[in-house]
Amino acid sequence: MLRTHTCGELRLDHVNQEVTLAGWVQRVRNKGGLIWVDLRDRYGVTQLIFEEGSTDKALLEKAADLGREFVVSASGTVIERTAKNDKMPTGSIEIKVSQLEVLNAAKIPPFIIEDETDGGDELRMKYRYLDLRRNVVREKLQLRHRMMQETRKFMDGQNFIEVETPVLIKSTPEGARDFVVPSRTNPGEFYALPQSPQTFKQLLMVSGFDRYFQIVKCFRDEDLRADRQPEFTQIDCEMAFVNQEDILNTFEGLVKHLFSSVKGIDLGYVEHMTFADAMKYYGNDKPDLRFDMKFVELNEVAKGKGFGIFDNAELVVGICAKGAAEYTRKQIDELTEWVKRPQIGAKGLVYARYTADGNLKSSVDKFYEVEDLQAWADAFGAEPGDLMLVLSGDAKAVRKQLSELRLRMGEDLGLRDRTKFKPLWVVDFPLLEWDEETKRYHAMHHPFTSPKREDIPLLETDPGAVRANAYDLVINGVEVGGGSIRIHDRATQQLMFTHLGFSDEEAQKQFGFLMEAFEYGAPPHGGIAFGFDRLCAIFGGSDSIRDYIAFPKNNSGRDVMIDSPSTIADEQLKELSIRVSLEQK
């Protein structure tokens, strides 16, 4: 080893010991006859000292020539610092250097490699290997590592077997776009990279591996944002001979174990909520329960008073922001303009203040008497000091708009505390959802999700009303995992394909191997997949999963560090029997 200790290891107990450290020069402070060098490695920072009189002149000159990010080895004696630094673990000692070797000089880095850097996102992604030297970035990957180890520990303790599934698979038409890989030995044919190991984990259940898991790379060719990457990691799991409650209990246990072991937090009770209630009271299927502010429907108390915007609406609905009655007119006007943005799409915003002295004032006083506004307040359970915010319109659209407003108010009022964690199981999702573009139903989750047995007759009469044996785990308004009880017999799977618009030939071509497997004694089974990157981001208090991926892509799906994707040589294309023809979109 080129070092006896790491740069985060030495303490007062090591005083007078001869040591050798190796690492990167964080900074140099040169006071002429006295030079301090902060030496950094993955484990921390240790101060080196070179002092005129007690340090060889050549060594002093060598120290003076050091630059940021030089890789060096330094040997010397551990001494107690006269001016201690209680902000760093090694702040009570320093190394009086007797020998210094430059292992590799370095160019001046394109940005400062410290917690507070001057590098923008794109620049740091281009030099990601330098960005990874920063403590704040490295700590995120250390968190990821810890969560991965604790996941494996828990799953092994529950008798799960980790099984790797293929990366080169068959393309399927459901879900997001596939990334495809040409086959040289089978000209004109392509593999796909897996969006998930779904069919393989079901086949493992048919094979008798009753408890499977895998921490696995998945690939989806979709538009990117902060919580999406073209390649991402799942904790993928499947169990046989179980019902929905068995799965919820098992994987609630996993999440509680991660919170306990990694963050020292007792997650406590995990609430269950139906999809229908989530949409009715929060306007989306992943409600943030760190704060209340449930939707209240006002049709009965707001309609019929001559206010056409309400009278002609399918739904009048609002939220009560506790303690926000003191919002200024300017603040409310800003909220109104915010909900009218194209991204939200509301026509306007009606408000009513319940002032601290008990008065009720609204933006529609022309149409509503104080008694009417009191009926609003009673419906909301409002108290003096509260602000009521109301939207109206088409029920589906207005719930979505109000959901955005609720989250905005939660943010503005400081109710979305990153140190608080509120988990929720959302259950009883619709099995199918209508796609206006294709004019047919699509599987809300995937075509292998089983319908509630009692709802199967509705497939013929009211497909949109069929509930699925599906469930999502939501934490702080983020979906971190989802799964379902699967179909495990050929007849039901064939019925599902028929209602999804597959012909018998298409179903056989795409999934014939799975349906045939069901005829060889498939057990009842179900599973779940957790977005591992998202879990890491929630644990680390970040909005973006990119911070927890060593070498992420940018919003265009590019790796700007290695300049990928890129063109390939004509000779490679020829081997693959591919001709490139770019067309303008």
Side-chain angles (χ1 to χ4, degrees), residues 237-308:
C237 315
E238 199 80 2
M239 302 172 72
F241 303 112
V242 291
N243 59 31
Q244 180 170 300
E245 282 305 308
D246 297 323
I247 291 176
L248 300 193
N249 290 336
T250 300
F251 293 103
E252 191 173 303
L254 168 62
V255 174
K256 286 182 174 179
H257 170 77
L258 290 174
F259 271 96
S260 174
S261 59
V262 176
K263 293 191 73 69
I265 290 174
D266 179 2
L267 205 54
Y269 175 70
V270 180
E271 188 175 336
H272 290 209
M273 182 184 298
T274 65
F275 171 87
D277 281 349
M279 298 305 294
K280 179 177 181 179
Y281 295 117
Y282 300 97
N284 68 57
D285 59 3
K286 45 183 186 293
D288 186 345
L289 298 188
R290 284 174 292 181
F291 61 106
D292 191 19
M293 221 180 286
K294 275 187 179 180
F295 292 7
V296 174
E297 297 181 6
L298 300 172
N299 281 17
E300 290 188 11
V301 294
K303 285 191 169 193
K305 303 292 182 179
F307 185 45

Coordinates of all heavy atoms in Angstrom, one line a residue, residues 237-308:
C237 N -39.0 -7.6 -7.5 CA -39.3 -8.7 -6.6 C -40.5 -9.4 -7.0 O -41.4 -8.9 -7.6 CB -39.6 -8.1 -5.2 SG -38.4 -6.9 -4.6
E238 N -40.6 -10.7 -6.7 CA -41.8 -11.5 -7.0 C -41.9 -12.6 -6.0 O -40.9 -13.1 -5.4 CB -41.7 -12.1 -8.4 CG -43.0 -12.6 -9.0 CD -43.8 -11.5 -9.6 OE1 -43.3 -10.3 -9.6 OE2 -44.9 -11.8 -10.1
M239 N -43.2 -13.0 -5.6 CA -43.5 -14.0 -4.6 C -44.6 -14.9 -5.2 O -45.5 -14.4 -5.8 CB -43.9 -13.4 -3.3 CG -42.9 -12.4 -2.7 SD -43.6 -11.5 -1.3 CE -43.6 -12.8 0.0
A240 N -44.5 -16.2 -4.8 CA -45.6 -17.1 -5.2 C -46.4 -17.5 -4.0 O -45.9 -17.4 -2.8 CB -45.0 -18.4 -5.9
F241 N -47.6 -18.0 -4.2 CA -48.5 -18.5 -3.2 C -48.8 -17.4 -2.1 O -48.7 -17.6 -0.9 CB -47.9 -19.7 -2.5 CG -47.7 -20.9 -3.4 CD1 -46.4 -21.3 -3.7 CD2 -48.7 -21.5 -4.0 CE1 -46.1 -22.3 -4.5 CE2 -48.4 -22.6 -4.9 CZ -47.1 -23.0 -5.2
V242 N -49.1 -16.2 -2.6 CA -49.4 -15.0 -1.8 C -50.6 -14.3 -2.3 O -51.0 -14.4 -3.4 CB -48.2 -14.1 -1.7 CG1 -47.0 -14.7 -1.0 CG2 -47.8 -13.6 -3.1
N243 N -51.2 -13.5 -1.4 CA -52.2 -12.5 -1.8 C -51.6 -11.1 -1.7 O -50.5 -10.9 -1.3 CB -53.5 -12.7 -1.0 CG -53.3 -12.5 0.5 OD1 -52.4 -11.8 0.9 ND2 -54.0 -13.3 1.3
Q244 N -52.5 -10.1 -2.0 CA -52.0 -8.7 -2.0 C -51.5 -8.3 -0.6 O -50.4 -7.7 -0.5 CB -53.1 -7.8 -2.4 CG -52.8 -6.3 -2.4 CD -53.8 -5.5 -3.1 OE1 -54.2 -5.7 -4.3 NE2 -54.4 -4.6 -2.4
E245 N -52.2 -8.7 0.5 CA -51.7 -8.3 1.8 C -50.4 -8.8 2.2 O -49.6 -8.2 2.8 CB -52.8 -8.7 2.9 CG -54.0 -7.8 2.9 CD -53.6 -6.3 3.1 OE1 -52.9 -6.0 4.1 OE2 -54.1 -5.5 2.3
D246 N -50.1 -10.1 1.7 CA -48.8 -10.7 2.0 C -47.7 -9.8 1.4 O -46.6 -9.6 2.0 CB -48.7 -12.1 1.4 CG -49.7 -13.0 2.0 OD1 -49.9 -12.9 3.3 OD2 -50.2 -13.9 1.3
I247 N -47.9 -9.3 0.2 CA -46.9 -8.5 -0.5 C -46.7 -7.2 0.1 O -45.6 -6.7 0.4 CB -47.2 -8.4 -2.0 CG1 -47.1 -9.8 -2.7 CG2 -46.3 -7.4 -2.7 CD1 -47.5 -9.8 -4.1
L248 N -47.8 -6.6 0.5 CA -47.8 -5.2 1.1 C -47.0 -5.4 2.4 O -46.2 -4.5 2.8 CB -49.2 -4.7 1.3 CG -50.0 -4.4 0.1 CD1 -51.2 -3.6 0.5 CD2 -49.3 -3.8 -1.0
N249 N -47.3 -6.4 3.2 CA -46.6 -6.5 4.5 C -45.1 -6.8 4.4 O -44.3 -6.3 5.1 CB -47.3 -7.7 5.3 CG -48.7 -7.4 5.8 OD1 -49.0 -6.2 5.9 ND2 -49.5 -8.4 6.0
T250 N -44.8 -7.6 3.4 CA -43.4 -8.0 3.2 C -42.6 -6.8 2.8 O -41.5 -6.5 3.4 CB -43.2 -9.1 2.1 OG1 -43.9 -10.2 2.5 CG2 -41.8 -9.4 1.9
F251 N -43.1 -6.0 1.8 CA -42.3 -4.9 1.3 C -42.4 -3.6 2.1 O -41.6 -2.7 2.0 CB -42.5 -4.8 -0.2 CG -42.0 -6.0 -0.9 CD1 -42.9 -6.9 -1.4 CD2 -40.7 -6.2 -1.1 CE1 -42.4 -8.1 -2.0 CE2 -40.2 -7.3 -1.7 CZ -41.1 -8.3 -2.2
E252 N -43.5 -3.5 2.9 CA -43.5 -2.5 3.9 C -42.4 -2.8 4.9 O -41.7 -1.8 5.4 CB -44.9 -2.5 4.6 CG -45.2 -1.4 5.5 CD -46.6 -1.4 6.0 OE1 -47.5 -1.4 5.2 OE2 -46.8 -1.4 7.2
G253 N -42.1 -4.0 5.2 CA -41.0 -4.4 6.0 C -39.7 -4.0 5.5 O -38.8 -3.5 6.2
L254 N -39.5 -4.2 4.1 CA -38.2 -3.7 3.5 C -38.0 -2.2 3.7 O -37.0 -1.8 4.1 CB -38.3 -4.1 2.0 CG -37.1 -3.5 1.2 CD1 -35.8 -3.9 1.6 CD2 -37.3 -3.8 -0.3
V255 N -39.1 -1.5 3.4 CA -38.9 0.0 3.4 C -38.7 0.4 4.8 O -37.8 1.3 5.1 CB -40.2 0.7 2.8 CG1 -40.1 2.2 3.0 CG2 -40.3 0.3 1.3
K256 N -39.4 -0.2 5.8 CA -39.1 0.2 7.2 C -37.7 -0.2 7.6 O -37.1 0.6 8.4 CB -40.2 -0.5 8.1 CG -41.6 0.1 8.0 CD -42.5 -0.6 9.0 CE -43.9 0.1 9.0 NZ -44.9 -0.6 9.9
H257 N -37.2 -1.3 7.1 CA -35.8 -1.7 7.4 C -34.8 -0.7 6.9 O -33.9 -0.3 7.6 CB -35.5 -3.1 6.9 CG -34.1 -3.5 6.9 ND1 -33.5 -3.9 8.1 CD2 -33.1 -3.5 6.0 CE1 -32.2 -4.2 7.9 NE2 -32.0 -3.9 6.6
L258 N -35.1 -0.2 5.7 CA -34.2 0.8 5.1 C -34.2 2.1 5.9 O -33.1 2.7 6.2 CB -34.5 1.0 3.6 CG -34.3 -0.1 2.6 CD1 -34.8 0.2 1.3 CD2 -32.8 -0.4 2.6
F259 N -35.4 2.5 6.3 CA -35.4 3.8 7.0 C -34.8 3.6 8.4 O -34.1 4.5 8.9 CB -36.9 4.2 7.2 CG -37.4 5.1 6.1 CD1 -38.1 4.6 5.1 CD2 -37.1 6.5 6.1 CE1 -38.5 5.4 4.0 CE2 -37.5 7.3 5.1 CZ -38.3 6.8 4.1
S260 N -35.0 2.4 9.0 CA -34.4 2.2 10.3 C -32.9 2.1 10.3 O -32.2 2.7 11.1 CB -35.0 1.0 10.9 OG -34.4 0.6 12.2
S261 N -32.4 1.3 9.3 CA -30.9 1.0 9.3 C -30.1 2.1 8.7 O -29.0 2.3 9.1 CB -30.7 -0.3 8.5 OG -31.2 -0.3 7.2
V262 N -30.7 2.8 7.7 CA -29.9 3.8 7.0 C -30.1 5.2 7.6 O -29.2 6.0 7.7 CB -30.3 3.8 5.5 CG1 -29.6 5.0 4.7 CG2 -30.0 2.5 4.8
K263 N -31.3 5.5 8.0 CA -31.6 6.9 8.5 C -31.9 6.9 10.0 O -32.1 8.0 10.6 CB -32.8 7.5 7.8 CG -32.4 7.8 6.3 CD -33.4 8.7 5.6 CE -33.4 10.1 6.1 NZ -32.2 10.9 5.7
G264 N -32.1 5.7 10.7 CA -32.4 5.7 12.1 C -33.8 6.2 12.4 O -34.1 6.8 13.4
I265 N -34.7 6.0 11.4 CA -36.1 6.5 11.6 C -37.1 5.4 11.6 O -37.0 4.4 10.9 CB -36.4 7.4 10.3 CG1 -35.7 8.7 10.4 CG2 -37.9 7.7 10.3 CD1 -35.8 9.6 9.2
D266 N -38.0 5.4 12.6 CA -39.1 4.5 12.7 C -40.2 5.0 11.8 O -40.8 6.1 12.2 CB -39.5 4.3 14.2 CG -40.7 3.4 14.3 OD1 -41.1 2.8 13.3 OD2 -41.2 3.2 15.5
L267 N -40.5 4.3 10.8 CA -41.5 4.9 9.8 C -42.9 4.8 10.3 O -43.8 5.6 9.9 CB -41.4 4.1 8.5 CG -41.8 4.8 7.2 CD1 -41.1 6.1 7.0 CD2 -41.6 3.9 6.0
G268 N -43.2 3.9 11.3 CA -44.5 3.9 11.9 C -45.6 3.3 10.9 O -45.3 2.6 10.0
Y269 N -46.8 3.7 11.2 CA -47.9 3.1 10.5 C -47.9 3.6 9.0 O -47.7 4.8 8.8 CB -49.2 3.5 11.2 CG -50.5 3.1 10.4 CD1 -50.9 1.8 10.4 CD2 -51.3 4.1 9.8 CE1 -52.0 1.4 9.7 CE2 -52.5 3.7 9.1 CZ -52.8 2.4 9.1 OH -53.9 2.0 8.4
V270 N -48.2 2.7 8.1 CA -48.3 3.1 6.7 C -49.8 3.0 6.3 O -50.4 1.9 6.3 CB -47.5 2.1 5.8 CG1 -47.6 2.5 4.3 CG2 -46.0 2.1 6.2
E271 N -50.4 4.1 6.0 CA -51.8 4.2 5.6 C -52.1 3.5 4.3 O -51.2 3.5 3.4 CB -52.2 5.7 5.6 CG -53.7 6.0 5.4 CD -54.0 7.5 5.5 OE1 -53.2 8.2 6.0 OE2 -55.0 7.8 4.9
H272 N -53.3 3.0 4.1 CA -53.8 2.5 2.9 C -54.9 3.4 2.4 O -55.8 3.9 3.1 CB -54.4 1.1 3.0 CG -53.3 0.0 3.3 ND1 -53.5 -1.3 3.0 CD2 -52.1 0.1 4.0 CE1 -52.4 -2.0 3.4 NE2 -51.6 -1.1 4.0
M273 N -54.9 3.7 1.0 CA -55.9 4.5 0.4 C -56.3 4.0 -0.9 O -55.4 3.6 -1.7 CB -55.4 6.0 0.3 CG -56.4 7.0 -0.2 SD -55.7 8.6 -0.5 CE -55.2 9.0 1.2
T274 N -57.6 3.9 -1.3 CA -57.9 3.5 -2.6 C -57.6 4.5 -3.7 O -57.5 5.7 -3.3 CB -59.4 3.2 -2.7 OG1 -60.2 4.4 -2.5 CG2 -59.9 2.1 -1.7
F275 N -57.4 4.1 -4.9 CA -57.1 5.0 -6.0 C -58.3 6.0 -6.1 O -58.0 7.2 -6.3 CB -57.0 4.2 -7.3 CG -56.9 5.1 -8.5 CD1 -55.7 5.6 -9.0 CD2 -58.1 5.3 -9.2 CE1 -55.7 6.3 -10.1 CE2 -58.1 6.1 -10.4 CZ -56.9 6.6 -10.9
A276 N -59.5 5.6 -5.9 CA -60.7 6.5 -6.1 C -60.6 7.6 -5.0 O -60.9 8.7 -5.3 CB -62.0 5.7 -5.9
D277 N -60.3 7.2 -3.8 CA -60.2 8.3 -2.7 C -59.0 9.2 -3.0 O -59.1 10.4 -2.7 CB -60.0 7.6 -1.4 CG -61.4 7.1 -0.8 OD1 -62.4 7.5 -1.4 OD2 -61.4 6.4 0.2
A278 N -57.9 8.7 -3.5 CA -56.7 9.5 -3.7 C -57.1 10.6 -4.8 O -56.7 11.7 -4.6 CB -55.6 8.7 -4.2
M279 N -57.8 10.2 -5.8 CA -58.2 11.1 -6.9 C -59.3 12.1 -6.3 O -59.2 13.3 -6.7 CB -58.8 10.4 -8.1 CG -57.7 9.4 -8.7 SD -56.2 10.3 -9.2 CE -56.8 11.4 -10.5
K280 N -60.2 11.6 -5.5 CA -61.3 12.5 -5.0 C -60.7 13.5 -4.0 O -61.1 14.7 -4.1 CB -62.3 11.6 -4.3 CG -63.5 12.4 -3.7 CD -64.5 11.5 -3.1 CE -65.7 12.4 -2.5 NZ -66.8 11.5 -1.9
Y281 N -59.8 13.1 -3.1 CA -59.4 14.0 -2.1 C -58.1 14.8 -2.3 O -57.8 15.8 -1.7 CB -59.3 13.3 -0.8 CG -60.6 12.8 -0.3 CD1 -60.9 11.4 -0.1 CD2 -61.7 13.6 0.0 CE1 -62.1 10.9 0.3 CE2 -62.9 13.2 0.5 CZ -63.1 11.8 0.6 OH -64.3 11.4 1.0
Y282 N -57.3 14.3 -3.3 CA -56.0 14.9 -3.6 C -55.7 15.1 -5.0 O -54.7 15.8 -5.4 CB -54.9 14.0 -3.0 CG -55.0 13.8 -1.5 CD1 -55.6 12.7 -1.0 CD2 -54.6 14.8 -0.6 CE1 -55.8 12.5 0.4 CE2 -54.7 14.7 0.8 CZ -55.3 13.5 1.3 OH -55.5 13.4 2.6
G283 N -56.6 14.6 -5.9 CA -56.4 14.9 -7.3 C -55.3 14.2 -8.1 O -55.1 14.4 -9.2
N284 N -54.6 13.3 -7.4 CA -53.6 12.5 -8.1 C -53.4 11.1 -7.3 O -53.9 11.0 -6.2 CB -52.3 13.2 -8.3 CG -51.6 13.4 -7.0 OD1 -51.3 12.5 -6.2 ND2 -51.3 14.7 -6.7
D285 N -52.8 10.2 -8.0 CA -52.6 8.9 -7.4 C -51.4 8.7 -6.6 O -51.0 7.6 -6.2 CB -52.7 7.8 -8.5 CG -51.6 7.9 -9.5 OD1 -50.8 8.8 -9.4 OD2 -51.6 7.2 -10.5
K286 N -50.7 9.8 -6.3 CA -49.6 9.7 -5.4 C -49.6 10.9 -4.4 O -48.7 11.8 -4.5 CB -48.2 9.7 -6.2 CG -48.1 10.6 -7.3 CD -46.8 10.4 -8.1 CE -46.6 11.4 -9.1 NZ -47.5 11.3 -10.3
P287 N -50.6 11.0 -3.6 CA -50.7 12.2 -2.7 C -49.6 12.4 -1.7 O -49.1 11.4 -1.1 CB -52.1 12.0 -2.1 CG -52.3 10.5 -2.2 CD -51.7 10.0 -3.4
D288 N -49.3 13.6 -1.5 CA -48.3 13.9 -0.4 C -49.1 14.1 0.9 O -49.8 15.1 1.0 CB -47.5 15.2 -0.8 CG -46.4 15.6 0.1 OD1 -46.4 15.0 1.3 OD2 -45.6 16.4 -0.2
L289 N -48.9 13.2 1.8 CA -49.6 13.3 3.1 C -48.9 13.9 4.2 O -49.3 13.8 5.4 CB -50.1 11.9 3.5 CG -51.0 11.1 2.5 CD1 -51.4 9.8 3.2 CD2 -52.2 11.9 2.1
R290 N -47.8 14.6 3.9 CA -47.1 15.3 5.0 C -47.9 16.5 5.5 O -47.7 17.0 6.6 CB -45.7 15.9 4.5 CG -44.7 14.8 4.4 CD -43.4 15.4 3.7 NE -43.6 15.7 2.3 CZ -42.7 16.2 1.5 NH1 -41.5 16.5 2.0 NH2 -42.9 16.5 0.3
F291 N -48.9 16.9 4.7 CA -49.9 17.9 5.2 C -51.3 17.5 4.7 O -51.4 16.7 3.8 CB -49.5 19.3 4.6 CG -49.5 19.4 3.1 CD1 -50.5 20.1 2.5 CD2 -48.4 18.9 2.3 CE1 -50.5 20.2 1.1 CE2 -48.4 19.0 1.0 CZ -49.5 19.7 0.3
D292 N -52.3 18.1 5.3 CA -53.7 17.7 5.1 C -54.2 18.4 3.9 O -54.0 17.9 2.8 CB -54.5 18.0 6.4 CG -55.9 17.4 6.3 OD1 -56.0 16.4 5.5 OD2 -56.8 17.8 7.0
M293 N -55.0 19.4 4.0 CA -55.5 20.2 2.9 C -56.2 19.3 1.9 O -56.0 19.4 0.6 CB -54.3 21.0 2.2 CG -54.7 22.4 1.8 SD -53.4 23.3 1.0 CE -52.3 23.7 2.4
K294 N -57.1 18.5 2.3 CA -57.9 17.6 1.5 C -58.9 18.5 0.6 O -59.3 19.6 1.0 CB -58.8 16.7 2.3 CG -58.1 15.4 2.7 CD -59.2 14.5 3.4 CE -58.5 13.2 3.9 NZ -59.6 12.4 4.5
F295 N -59.2 18.0 -0.5 CA -60.2 18.6 -1.4 C -61.6 18.5 -0.7 O -62.0 17.5 -0.1 CB -60.4 17.9 -2.7 CG -59.1 18.0 -3.6 CD1 -58.0 18.6 -3.2 CD2 -59.2 17.5 -5.0 CE1 -56.9 18.7 -4.0 CE2 -58.1 17.6 -5.8 CZ -56.9 18.2 -5.4
V296 N -62.4 19.6 -0.9 CA -63.7 19.7 -0.4 C -64.6 20.1 -1.6 O -64.4 21.1 -2.2 CB -63.9 20.7 0.7 CG1 -65.4 20.8 1.1 CG2 -63.1 20.2 1.9
E297 N -65.6 19.2 -1.9 CA -66.5 19.5 -3.0 C -67.6 20.4 -2.6 O -68.2 20.2 -1.5 CB -67.1 18.2 -3.6 CG -66.0 17.3 -4.2 CD -66.5 16.0 -4.7 OE1 -67.7 15.8 -4.8 OE2 -65.7 15.1 -5.1
L298 N -67.9 21.5 -3.4 CA -68.8 22.6 -3.0 C -70.0 22.7 -3.8 O -70.7 23.7 -3.7 CB -68.0 23.9 -3.0 CG -66.8 24.0 -2.1 CD1 -66.0 25.3 -2.3 CD2 -67.2 23.9 -0.6
N299 N -70.3 21.7 -4.7 CA -71.4 21.9 -5.6 C -72.7 22.2 -4.9 O -73.5 23.1 -5.3 CB -71.7 20.5 -6.4 CG -70.7 20.4 -7.5 OD1 -69.7 21.1 -7.6 ND2 -71.0 19.5 -8.4
E300 N -73.0 21.6 -3.7 CA -74.3 21.8 -3.0 C -74.4 23.2 -2.4 O -75.5 23.7 -2.3 CB -74.4 20.8 -1.9 CG -74.7 19.3 -2.5 CD -75.0 18.4 -1.3 OE1 -75.3 18.9 -0.2 OE2 -75.0 17.2 -1.6
V301 N -73.2 23.8 -2.1 CA -73.3 25.1 -1.4 C -72.9 26.3 -2.3 O -73.1 27.4 -2.0 CB -72.5 25.1 -0.1 CG1 -73.0 24.2 0.9 CG2 -71.0 24.8 -0.4
A302 N -72.3 26.0 -3.5 CA -71.8 27.1 -4.3 C -72.6 27.3 -5.6 O -72.6 28.3 -6.2 CB -70.3 26.8 -4.7
K303 N -73.4 26.3 -6.0 CA -74.2 26.4 -7.2 C -75.5 27.0 -7.0 O -76.0 27.0 -5.8 CB -74.3 25.0 -7.9 CG -73.1 24.5 -8.6 CD -73.4 23.2 -9.4 CE -72.3 22.9 -10.3 NZ -72.7 21.9 -11.3
G304 N -76.1 27.5 -8.0 CA -77.5 28.1 -7.9 C -77.6 29.4 -7.4 O -78.7 29.9 -6.9
K305 N -76.5 30.2 -7.3 CA -76.5 31.5 -6.8 C -76.3 32.6 -7.9 O -76.0 33.8 -7.6 CB -75.4 31.7 -5.7 CG -75.5 30.7 -4.6 CD -76.7 30.9 -3.7 CE -76.8 30.0 -2.5 NZ -77.9 30.2 -1.7
G306 N -76.4 32.2 -9.1 CA -76.2 33.2 -10.2 C -74.8 33.4 -10.7 O -74.6 34.2 -11.6
F307 N -73.8 32.7 -10.1 CA -72.5 32.8 -10.5 C -72.2 31.7 -11.6 O -72.0 30.6 -11.3 CB -71.5 32.6 -9.4 CG -70.1 32.9 -9.7 CD1 -69.6 34.0 -10.5 CD2 -69.1 32.0 -9.2 CE1 -68.3 34.2 -10.8 CE2 -67.7 32.2 -9.5 CZ -67.4 33.3 -10.3
G308 N -72.3 32.2 -12.9 CA -72.3 31.3 -14.0 C -71.1 30.3 -14.1 O -71.2 29.2 -14.5

